[in-house]
Amino acid sequence: QLQLVESGGGLVQPGGSLRLSCAASGFTYTIGWFRQAPGKEREAVSCISRSGGITNYADSMKGRFTISRDNAKNTIYLQINSLKPEDTAIYYCAARVYGCSGVIADYRSWGRGTQVTVSS
């Protein structure tokens, strides 16, 4: 059974960086990163195909976010640079069998999330 576990979140000052990790057990899936800020709806951040050859980013996430994966370690990463207070959110990874999608309902399995707080 697929399990996803996020890690790497924390408290960081504006302008700092974080690398989030998503450890996936079982079969290699397309993985998406999503985030949910307090009082807001969950939104797509990025996704990466099973091979890692295809990556997509939400328009507002382009430039500061980089998704990657190491299939030998069954781990998917989300590098976030130049963090802003508005990046404060719980970040989730999710898996699907088919290709990249920014639609939440397309993902069958979800991790519990990792909290990112950007504050001075």
Side-chain angles (χ1 to χ4, degrees), residues 93-111:
C93 63
R96 71 188 303 256
V97 173
Y98 303 109
C100 272
S101 169
V103 178
I104 293 172
D106 285 347
Y107 288 81
R108 57 174 289 187
S109 299
W110 291 79

Side-chain angles (χ1 to χ4, degrees), residues 6-11 18-21 114-117:
E6 302 93 338
S7 62
L11 174 62
L18 279 177
R19 189 177 76 160
L20 307 183
S21 298
T114 185
Q115 175 71 50
V116 172
T117 302

